[in-house]
Amino acid sequence: MKKSLSQLTKIILFFLLLIVSCQNSKKETKKMAVKTISNYKTLELTPFDSTLVAPFFNQYPELKKFQNEVVTLYQKQHYNYIWFDQKGIKEVGYLLYNKLNNLTSEGINAKIPYQNQLDTIFQEETTKQDPEVNSELLLSCMYFFYTEKVYTGLPIEKSNQLGWYLPRKKQSFINYLDSILAKPSLMDKDEREILGQYYRLREVLKKYRALQKEPWNPIQLDSAVSQLKVGDSAKAIAEIRNRLYLLGDLDSDSKSTLYDTILTKGILNYKKRNGLGINTSISKSILNHLNIPIANRIKTIIVNMERCRWFSSPLSTSKTFIFINIPAYQLRYFENGKPVLQSKVVVGKAMNKTAVFSADMKYIVFSPYWNVPKNILYKEVLPAIEKNPNYLYENDMEWFEGGIRQRPGPKNALGVVKFMFPNSNSIYLHDTPSKSLFNQEKRAFSHGCIRLEKPKELAHLILKNDPNWTFEKIETAMHSGVEKWYALPKKIPVYIGYFTAWVTKDGVAHFYEDVYQRDERLAAMLLEE
């Protein structure tokens, strides 16, 4: 009995010791956790002396343009370090350094100021050493340098010199840094800050730079051959096939010299995305197009990436809007951010360029009068009247308030409907009786206003949910011969842009003729920076 009690006592003591041990273990774990948290807190460095900022800019005069932004940034941050902690350079600092060293991938060839000093910061051992204030300030300046080049681009006065008057959003990159610090990946892609088109162009730039490594010899037809048709055989066909394969218009390269149905698809793809006449013949002009050097295409991509920097992001934020790309001779009407109508357009000829700007559509005018602009009146109409006294009668025109206007009807230059978005350029969208112009590849024929291939379809789409207008009422108003203005209950933003390269969401690159000859001038401006 005593032996049994002794064993029971031992068991009880064992469990008591085990409980005490567990409690001590928990206390130690808690102490270690507290210690770890304490160590984590000490990773942050103490603020630096604000009086060290001014001497920095005396030492680095090329960065003085960023001084106001840097001072404002650190006032906001209470002069705490942004790019360093007690372990050294933070991850976001390395990301910034990497992006600066790969500016060419953004289509930028700018020289980085104080590159050697910047390299030294990242090459030297900084772990467990307090960073120099100059290193911290240099990284902040490099952040503003990067955002200026990649997000802002050329100054507004320079884009205005190129006839670009679309709104450019004023951005606070001081506040934007908070977003980057919270989510560094935004530095690689953030469609809130740059038009989403920019990132698609960036991918195509990468592809075309890879194509530069491929042979790109001119493709030529025999002197006796003017064009190639389906069923023809020629050495040039194999070369054309290979080129279309490299450009992505064909999925494979059979190396065949026969113009077969597979090559037909490639030719049609190429012509469609380059704004060329959609047919299967391969003329010498098409070969000239296929022989455009890759370096030229790269330049085109880069200048259009720059244009994206000038464009606030309405195409990704507006639900309903109209976007017109002048070089593409194309209008697209978007609802809920998706295109629901695409229409060919005629734009201003080189002497009467259509302006690049934006405004809100406020009115639709049915059966409109055409009030002849003064420049057309003096240059064209009055000389025509001198030659032909019946000119006004034959063209259904009349004198009105000291000018001349054309009455509503089948001869009216504005057709049956026009769309008004009041602006200082006196530009609007309108129908036209000259429908044959939409069959032309190049459609720069107007005096500046934009003629629509599908004006009726646009009017019906805009008014489809408006209880004031049924389908029948719209058609009647268009053909009544009596001008009628209607104020839209909700304004529709209209953006007129100028992009000679455009990439669709599926990654297909489209190139268009530089109808107003602006690419070379922009490329020269970029080289000056």
Side-chain angles (χ1 to χ4, degrees), residues 45-57 59-60 70 74 79-84 121 129-141:
L45 299 165
T46 56
F48 61 85
D49 188 348
S50 62
T51 61
L52 297 175
V53 175
F56 167 83
F57 287 101
Q59 187 177 343
Y60 295 87
V70 168
Y74 284 101
Y79 291 91
N80 282 299
Y81 285 84
I82 296 170
W83 308 99
F84 292 85
I121 294 172
Q129 295 179 4
D130 291 337
E132 293 182 358
V133 173
N134 278 7
S135 298
E136 168 73 14
L137 295 174
L138 182 58
L139 284 181
S140 288
C141 287

mmCIF file of all heavy atoms in Angstrom, residues 45-57 59-60 70 74 79-84 121 129-141:
data_model
loop_
_atom_site.group_PDB
_atom_site.id
_atom_site.type_symbol
_atom_site.label_atom_id
_atom_site.label_comp_id
_atom_site.label_asym_id
_atom_site.label_seq_id
_atom_site.Cartn_x
_atom_site.Cartn_y
_atom_site.Cartn_z
ATOM 1 N N LEU A 45 15.015 54.473 -38.926
ATOM 2 C CA LEU A 45 16.057 55.407 -38.522
ATOM 3 C C LEU A 45 15.438 56.675 -37.930
ATOM 4 O O LEU A 45 14.307 57.029 -38.235
ATOM 5 C CB LEU A 45 16.898 55.784 -39.751
ATOM 6 C CG LEU A 45 17.623 54.604 -40.424
ATOM 7 C CD1 LEU A 45 18.095 55.013 -41.802
ATOM 8 C CD2 LEU A 45 18.803 54.163 -39.568
ATOM 9 N N THR A 46 16.214 57.333 -37.125
ATOM 10 C CA THR A 46 15.734 58.604 -36.568
ATOM 11 C C THR A 46 15.765 59.668 -37.659
ATOM 12 O O THR A 46 16.567 59.590 -38.595
ATOM 13 C CB THR A 46 16.630 59.058 -35.404
ATOM 14 O OG1 THR A 46 17.985 59.135 -35.862
ATOM 15 C CG2 THR A 46 16.530 58.081 -34.245
ATOM 16 N N PRO A 47 14.877 60.675 -37.597
ATOM 17 C CA PRO A 47 14.836 61.719 -38.632
ATOM 18 C C PRO A 47 16.182 62.429 -38.763
ATOM 19 O O PRO A 47 16.972 62.510 -37.822
ATOM 20 C CB PRO A 47 13.757 62.669 -38.116
ATOM 21 C CG PRO A 47 12.896 61.825 -37.226
ATOM 22 C CD PRO A 47 13.824 60.856 -36.569
ATOM 23 N N PHE A 48 16.437 62.958 -39.977
ATOM 24 C CA PHE A 48 17.692 63.686 -40.195
ATOM 25 C C PHE A 48 17.447 65.192 -40.084
ATOM 26 O O PHE A 48 16.300 65.661 -40.060
ATOM 27 C CB PHE A 48 18.324 63.318 -41.542
ATOM 28 C CG PHE A 48 17.486 63.644 -42.754
ATOM 29 C CD1 PHE A 48 17.510 64.908 -43.328
ATOM 30 C CD2 PHE A 48 16.692 62.670 -43.353
ATOM 31 C CE1 PHE A 48 16.754 65.208 -44.437
ATOM 32 C CE2 PHE A 48 15.933 62.955 -44.468
ATOM 33 C CZ PHE A 48 15.955 64.233 -45.022
ATOM 34 N N ASP A 49 18.528 65.939 -40.044
ATOM 35 C CA ASP A 49 18.484 67.397 -39.850
ATOM 36 C C ASP A 49 18.028 68.082 -41.140
ATOM 37 O O ASP A 49 18.645 67.913 -42.195
ATOM 38 C CB ASP A 49 19.880 67.885 -39.451
ATOM 39 C CG ASP A 49 19.890 69.348 -39.052
ATOM 40 O OD1 ASP A 49 18.883 70.046 -39.305
ATOM 41 O OD2 ASP A 49 20.909 69.798 -38.504
ATOM 42 N N SER A 50 16.966 68.867 -41.058
ATOM 43 C CA SER A 50 16.418 69.528 -42.246
ATOM 44 C C SER A 50 17.396 70.530 -42.862
ATOM 45 O O SER A 50 17.300 70.842 -44.051
ATOM 46 C CB SER A 50 15.118 70.242 -41.889
ATOM 47 O OG SER A 50 15.353 71.258 -40.918
ATOM 48 N N THR A 51 18.334 71.017 -42.086
ATOM 49 C CA THR A 51 19.283 72.012 -42.622
ATOM 50 C C THR A 51 20.275 71.393 -43.606
ATOM 51 O O THR A 51 21.032 72.115 -44.271
ATOM 52 C CB THR A 51 20.071 72.683 -41.485
ATOM 53 O OG1 THR A 51 20.834 71.690 -40.779
ATOM 54 C CG2 THR A 51 19.136 73.392 -40.525
ATOM 55 N N LEU A 52 20.264 70.053 -43.732
ATOM 56 C CA LEU A 52 21.192 69.385 -44.650
ATOM 57 C C LEU A 52 20.666 69.339 -46.082
ATOM 58 O O LEU A 52 21.383 68.954 -47.002
ATOM 59 C CB LEU A 52 21.452 67.950 -44.163
ATOM 60 C CG LEU A 52 22.126 67.829 -42.791
ATOM 61 C CD1 LEU A 52 22.212 66.372 -42.369
ATOM 62 C CD2 LEU A 52 23.518 68.453 -42.836
ATOM 63 N N VAL A 53 19.418 69.756 -46.276
ATOM 64 C CA VAL A 53 18.821 69.677 -47.617
ATOM 65 C C VAL A 53 19.431 70.718 -48.551
ATOM 66 O O VAL A 53 19.836 70.392 -49.681
ATOM 67 C CB VAL A 53 17.285 69.855 -47.540
ATOM 68 C CG1 VAL A 53 16.688 69.892 -48.943
ATOM 69 C CG2 VAL A 53 16.654 68.734 -46.724
ATOM 70 N N ALA A 54 19.496 71.959 -48.128
ATOM 71 C CA ALA A 54 20.020 73.030 -48.989
ATOM 72 C C ALA A 54 21.452 72.761 -49.454
ATOM 73 O O ALA A 54 21.761 72.909 -50.648
ATOM 74 C CB ALA A 54 19.910 74.376 -48.285
ATOM 75 N N PRO A 55 22.375 72.364 -48.544
ATOM 76 C CA PRO A 55 23.747 72.063 -49.002
ATOM 77 C C PRO A 55 23.799 70.945 -50.046
ATOM 78 O O PRO A 55 24.672 70.951 -50.912
ATOM 79 C CB PRO A 55 24.453 71.647 -47.703
ATOM 80 C CG PRO A 55 23.671 72.300 -46.618
ATOM 81 C CD PRO A 55 22.258 72.299 -47.083
ATOM 82 N N PHE A 56 22.864 70.001 -49.965
ATOM 83 C CA PHE A 56 22.828 68.912 -50.948
ATOM 84 C C PHE A 56 22.664 69.476 -52.357
ATOM 85 O O PHE A 56 23.363 69.070 -53.299
ATOM 86 C CB PHE A 56 21.695 67.938 -50.632
ATOM 87 C CG PHE A 56 21.404 66.974 -51.751
ATOM 88 C CD1 PHE A 56 22.159 65.816 -51.888
ATOM 89 C CD2 PHE A 56 20.400 67.229 -52.675
ATOM 90 C CE1 PHE A 56 21.906 64.936 -52.937
ATOM 91 C CE2 PHE A 56 20.138 66.358 -53.721
ATOM 92 C CZ PHE A 56 20.896 65.197 -53.845
ATOM 93 N N PHE A 57 21.741 70.404 -52.532
ATOM 94 C CA PHE A 57 21.478 70.932 -53.868
ATOM 95 C C PHE A 57 22.591 71.849 -54.355
ATOM 96 O O PHE A 57 22.754 72.055 -55.559
ATOM 97 C CB PHE A 57 20.115 71.633 -53.907
ATOM 98 C CG PHE A 57 18.971 70.668 -53.877
ATOM 99 C CD1 PHE A 57 18.269 70.432 -52.702
ATOM 100 C CD2 PHE A 57 18.623 69.953 -55.008
ATOM 101 C CE1 PHE A 57 17.231 69.518 -52.662
ATOM 102 C CE2 PHE A 57 17.581 69.033 -54.984
ATOM 103 C CZ PHE A 57 16.880 68.812 -53.804
ATOM 104 N N GLN A 59 25.649 70.986 -53.819
ATOM 105 C CA GLN A 59 26.607 69.969 -54.244
ATOM 106 C C GLN A 59 26.158 69.276 -55.539
ATOM 107 O O GLN A 59 26.978 68.813 -56.327
ATOM 108 C CB GLN A 59 26.783 68.934 -53.125
ATOM 109 C CG GLN A 59 27.877 67.919 -53.403
ATOM 110 C CD GLN A 59 28.064 66.969 -52.226
ATOM 111 O OE1 GLN A 59 27.620 67.245 -51.114
ATOM 112 N NE2 GLN A 59 28.731 65.850 -52.476
ATOM 113 N N TYR A 60 24.829 69.218 -55.748
ATOM 114 C CA TYR A 60 24.266 68.540 -56.932
ATOM 115 C C TYR A 60 23.385 69.535 -57.711
ATOM 116 O O TYR A 60 22.159 69.417 -57.736
ATOM 117 C CB TYR A 60 23.431 67.331 -56.513
ATOM 118 C CG TYR A 60 24.223 66.224 -55.862
ATOM 119 C CD1 TYR A 60 24.457 66.232 -54.481
ATOM 120 C CD2 TYR A 60 24.740 65.171 -56.607
ATOM 121 C CE1 TYR A 60 25.187 65.218 -53.869
ATOM 122 C CE2 TYR A 60 25.465 64.152 -56.009
ATOM 123 C CZ TYR A 60 25.686 64.179 -54.645
ATOM 124 O OH TYR A 60 26.409 63.169 -54.040
ATOM 125 N N VAL A 70 11.347 68.067 -53.294
ATOM 126 C CA VAL A 70 12.046 67.312 -52.250
ATOM 127 C C VAL A 70 11.761 67.910 -50.872
ATOM 128 O O VAL A 70 11.477 67.179 -49.912
ATOM 129 C CB VAL A 70 13.567 67.275 -52.538
ATOM 130 C CG1 VAL A 70 14.336 66.764 -51.314
ATOM 131 C CG2 VAL A 70 13.849 66.385 -53.744
ATOM 132 N N TYR A 74 9.808 65.900 -47.761
ATOM 133 C CA TYR A 74 10.345 65.592 -46.430
ATOM 134 C C TYR A 74 9.647 66.362 -45.317
ATOM 135 O O TYR A 74 9.628 65.910 -44.166
ATOM 136 C CB TYR A 74 11.860 65.799 -46.412
ATOM 137 C CG TYR A 74 12.557 64.649 -47.102
ATOM 138 C CD1 TYR A 74 13.025 64.766 -48.399
ATOM 139 C CD2 TYR A 74 12.684 63.415 -46.466
ATOM 140 C CE1 TYR A 74 13.631 63.709 -49.043
ATOM 141 C CE2 TYR A 74 13.289 62.343 -47.100
ATOM 142 C CZ TYR A 74 13.754 62.489 -48.387
ATOM 143 O OH TYR A 74 14.338 61.414 -49.031
ATOM 144 N N TYR A 79 10.934 64.546 -42.162
ATOM 145 C CA TYR A 79 12.360 64.308 -42.353
ATOM 146 C C TYR A 79 12.791 62.908 -41.923
ATOM 147 O O TYR A 79 13.951 62.682 -41.559
ATOM 148 C CB TYR A 79 13.194 65.402 -41.686
ATOM 149 C CG TYR A 79 13.026 66.721 -42.402
ATOM 150 C CD1 TYR A 79 12.028 67.612 -42.003
ATOM 151 C CD2 TYR A 79 13.791 67.047 -43.506
ATOM 152 C CE1 TYR A 79 11.819 68.814 -42.694
ATOM 153 C CE2 TYR A 79 13.597 68.247 -44.195
ATOM 154 C CZ TYR A 79 12.602 69.113 -43.785
ATOM 155 O OH TYR A 79 12.406 70.286 -44.472
ATOM 156 N N ASN A 80 11.872 61.971 -42.003
ATOM 157 C CA ASN A 80 12.225 60.568 -41.826
ATOM 158 C C ASN A 80 12.807 60.022 -43.126
ATOM 159 O O ASN A 80 12.447 60.477 -44.215
ATOM 160 C CB ASN A 80 10.995 59.739 -41.439
ATOM 161 C CG ASN A 80 10.636 59.918 -39.980
ATOM 162 O OD1 ASN A 80 11.427 59.608 -39.095
ATOM 163 N ND2 ASN A 80 9.436 60.435 -39.729
ATOM 164 N N TYR A 81 13.677 59.023 -43.012
ATOM 165 C CA TYR A 81 14.245 58.383 -44.195
ATOM 166 C C TYR A 81 13.143 57.612 -44.931
ATOM 167 O O TYR A 81 12.294 56.965 -44.314
ATOM 168 C CB TYR A 81 15.368 57.426 -43.797
ATOM 169 C CG TYR A 81 16.655 58.120 -43.409
ATOM 170 C CD1 TYR A 81 16.848 58.595 -42.110
ATOM 171 C CD2 TYR A 81 17.671 58.299 -44.335
ATOM 172 C CE1 TYR A 81 18.029 59.234 -41.739
ATOM 173 C CE2 TYR A 81 18.865 58.938 -43.981
ATOM 174 C CZ TYR A 81 19.026 59.404 -42.687
ATOM 175 O OH TYR A 81 20.191 60.042 -42.333
ATOM 176 N N ILE A 82 13.190 57.682 -46.259
ATOM 177 C CA ILE A 82 12.214 56.986 -47.094
ATOM 178 C C ILE A 82 12.818 55.733 -47.714
ATOM 179 O O ILE A 82 12.181 54.686 -47.773
ATOM 180 C CB ILE A 82 11.712 57.931 -48.220
ATOM 181 C CG1 ILE A 82 10.955 59.114 -47.610
ATOM 182 C CG2 ILE A 82 10.817 57.181 -49.223
ATOM 183 C CD1 ILE A 82 10.646 60.218 -48.611
ATOM 184 N N TRP A 83 14.062 55.837 -48.147
ATOM 185 C CA TRP A 83 14.678 54.779 -48.949
ATOM 186 C C TRP A 83 15.576 53.847 -48.133
ATOM 187 O O TRP A 83 16.038 52.829 -48.656
ATOM 188 C CB TRP A 83 15.496 55.397 -50.089
ATOM 189 C CG TRP A 83 14.698 56.387 -50.882
ATOM 190 C CD1 TRP A 83 14.722 57.747 -50.769
ATOM 191 C CD2 TRP A 83 13.716 56.098 -51.876
ATOM 192 N NE1 TRP A 83 13.838 58.331 -51.636
ATOM 193 C CE2 TRP A 83 13.193 57.344 -52.338
ATOM 194 C CE3 TRP A 83 13.219 54.917 -52.435
ATOM 195 C CZ2 TRP A 83 12.222 57.425 -53.319
ATOM 196 C CZ3 TRP A 83 12.250 55.003 -53.423
ATOM 197 C CH2 TRP A 83 11.751 56.231 -53.852
ATOM 198 N N PHE A 84 15.806 54.188 -46.865
ATOM 199 C CA PHE A 84 16.718 53.409 -46.014
ATOM 200 C C PHE A 84 16.043 53.052 -44.695
ATOM 201 O O PHE A 84 15.178 53.776 -44.204
ATOM 202 C CB PHE A 84 17.993 54.207 -45.687
ATOM 203 C CG PHE A 84 18.892 54.463 -46.856
ATOM 204 C CD1 PHE A 84 18.680 55.554 -47.689
ATOM 205 C CD2 PHE A 84 19.966 53.623 -47.121
ATOM 206 C CE1 PHE A 84 19.505 55.807 -48.760
ATOM 207 C CE2 PHE A 84 20.815 53.876 -48.188
ATOM 208 C CZ PHE A 84 20.581 54.961 -49.014
ATOM 209 N N ILE A 121 26.185 54.237 -54.302
ATOM 210 C CA ILE A 121 25.259 53.963 -53.190
ATOM 211 C C ILE A 121 24.883 52.491 -53.157
ATOM 212 O O ILE A 121 24.827 51.871 -52.092
ATOM 213 C CB ILE A 121 23.996 54.836 -53.317
ATOM 214 C CG1 ILE A 121 24.340 56.314 -53.130
ATOM 215 C CG2 ILE A 121 22.934 54.412 -52.291
ATOM 216 C CD1 ILE A 121 23.181 57.250 -53.424
ATOM 217 N N GLN A 129 24.773 50.131 -41.288
ATOM 218 C CA GLN A 129 25.451 51.428 -41.229
ATOM 219 C C GLN A 129 24.434 52.523 -41.465
ATOM 220 O O GLN A 129 23.566 52.392 -42.314
ATOM 221 C CB GLN A 129 26.557 51.524 -42.291
ATOM 222 C CG GLN A 129 27.695 50.532 -42.061
ATOM 223 C CD GLN A 129 28.761 50.650 -43.140
ATOM 224 O OE1 GLN A 129 28.667 51.526 -43.991
ATOM 225 N NE2 GLN A 129 29.758 49.797 -43.081
ATOM 226 N N ASP A 130 24.562 53.591 -40.718
ATOM 227 C CA ASP A 130 23.662 54.718 -40.949
ATOM 228 C C ASP A 130 23.954 55.311 -42.316
ATOM 229 O O ASP A 130 25.107 55.611 -42.631
ATOM 230 C CB ASP A 130 23.859 55.790 -39.867
ATOM 231 C CG ASP A 130 23.357 55.320 -38.513
ATOM 232 O OD1 ASP A 130 22.502 54.420 -38.498
ATOM 233 O OD2 ASP A 130 23.828 55.854 -37.503
ATOM 234 N N PRO A 131 22.916 55.508 -43.156
ATOM 235 C CA PRO A 131 23.152 56.066 -44.482
ATOM 236 C C PRO A 131 23.485 57.551 -44.406
ATOM 237 O O PRO A 131 23.111 58.237 -43.462
ATOM 238 C CB PRO A 131 21.804 55.857 -45.185
ATOM 239 C CG PRO A 131 20.810 55.888 -44.068
ATOM 240 C CD PRO A 131 21.498 55.241 -42.896
ATOM 241 N N GLU A 132 24.186 58.036 -45.431
ATOM 242 C CA GLU A 132 24.424 59.462 -45.517
ATOM 243 C C GLU A 132 23.131 60.142 -45.974
ATOM 244 O O GLU A 132 22.391 59.609 -46.786
ATOM 245 C CB GLU A 132 25.537 59.752 -46.533
ATOM 246 C CG GLU A 132 26.898 59.239 -46.111
ATOM 247 C CD GLU A 132 27.960 59.605 -47.139
ATOM 248 O OE1 GLU A 132 27.597 60.220 -48.168
ATOM 249 O OE2 GLU A 132 29.138 59.294 -46.908
ATOM 250 N N VAL A 133 22.895 61.313 -45.456
ATOM 251 C CA VAL A 133 21.701 62.066 -45.845
ATOM 252 C C VAL A 133 21.730 62.350 -47.349
ATOM 253 O O VAL A 133 20.702 62.299 -48.028
ATOM 254 C CB VAL A 133 21.596 63.376 -45.045
ATOM 255 C CG1 VAL A 133 20.452 64.236 -45.567
ATOM 256 C CG2 VAL A 133 21.395 63.075 -43.566
ATOM 257 N N ASN A 134 22.919 62.603 -47.896
ATOM 258 C CA ASN A 134 23.034 62.871 -49.331
ATOM 259 C C ASN A 134 22.547 61.692 -50.168
ATOM 260 O O ASN A 134 21.961 61.872 -51.230
ATOM 261 C CB ASN A 134 24.479 63.211 -49.701
ATOM 262 C CG ASN A 134 24.803 64.667 -49.420
ATOM 263 O OD1 ASN A 134 24.007 65.382 -48.831
ATOM 264 N ND2 ASN A 134 25.978 65.115 -49.850
ATOM 265 N N SER A 135 22.797 60.476 -49.696
ATOM 266 C CA SER A 135 22.333 59.292 -50.418
ATOM 267 C C SER A 135 20.810 59.235 -50.425
ATOM 268 O O SER A 135 20.190 58.931 -51.449
ATOM 269 C CB SER A 135 22.898 58.019 -49.779
ATOM 270 O OG SER A 135 24.304 58.016 -49.840
ATOM 271 N N GLU A 136 20.216 59.527 -49.286
ATOM 272 C CA GLU A 136 18.755 59.556 -49.173
ATOM 273 C C GLU A 136 18.170 60.606 -50.119
ATOM 274 O O GLU A 136 17.221 60.335 -50.871
ATOM 275 C CB GLU A 136 18.359 59.857 -47.729
ATOM 276 C CG GLU A 136 16.898 60.205 -47.503
ATOM 277 C CD GLU A 136 15.951 59.016 -47.609
ATOM 278 O OE1 GLU A 136 16.439 57.865 -47.592
ATOM 279 O OE2 GLU A 136 14.736 59.246 -47.706
ATOM 280 N N LEU A 137 18.740 61.814 -50.104
ATOM 281 C CA LEU A 137 18.215 62.901 -50.938
ATOM 282 C C LEU A 137 18.439 62.622 -52.422
ATOM 283 O O LEU A 137 17.603 62.974 -53.257
ATOM 284 C CB LEU A 137 18.864 64.222 -50.530
ATOM 285 C CG LEU A 137 18.542 64.702 -49.106
ATOM 286 C CD1 LEU A 137 19.363 65.943 -48.761
ATOM 287 C CD2 LEU A 137 17.054 64.995 -48.951
ATOM 288 N N LEU A 138 19.561 61.978 -52.751
ATOM 289 C CA LEU A 138 19.829 61.654 -54.156
ATOM 290 C C LEU A 138 18.784 60.675 -54.689
ATOM 291 O O LEU A 138 18.284 60.832 -55.813
ATOM 292 C CB LEU A 138 21.230 61.067 -54.303
ATOM 293 C CG LEU A 138 21.665 60.724 -55.734
ATOM 294 C CD1 LEU A 138 21.609 61.957 -56.635
ATOM 295 C CD2 LEU A 138 23.066 60.124 -55.736
ATOM 296 N N LEU A 139 18.407 59.698 -53.892
ATOM 297 C CA LEU A 139 17.388 58.738 -54.317
ATOM 298 C C LEU A 139 16.028 59.426 -54.499
ATOM 299 O O LEU A 139 15.288 59.106 -55.440
ATOM 300 C CB LEU A 139 17.273 57.597 -53.312
ATOM 301 C CG LEU A 139 18.388 56.545 -53.362
ATOM 302 C CD1 LEU A 139 18.137 55.457 -52.337
ATOM 303 C CD2 LEU A 139 18.489 55.938 -54.741
ATOM 304 N N SER A 140 15.713 60.358 -53.639
ATOM 305 C CA SER A 140 14.447 61.085 -53.810
ATOM 306 C C SER A 140 14.465 61.909 -55.092
ATOM 307 O O SER A 140 13.464 61.973 -55.815
ATOM 308 C CB SER A 140 14.177 61.981 -52.596
ATOM 309 O OG SER A 140 13.826 61.197 -51.477
ATOM 310 N N CYS A 141 15.585 62.539 -55.375
ATOM 311 C CA CYS A 141 15.699 63.284 -56.633
ATOM 312 C C CYS A 141 15.570 62.349 -57.834
ATOM 313 O O CYS A 141 14.950 62.700 -58.848
ATOM 314 C CB CYS A 141 17.027 64.029 -56.698
ATOM 315 S SG CYS A 141 17.115 65.462 -55.603
#
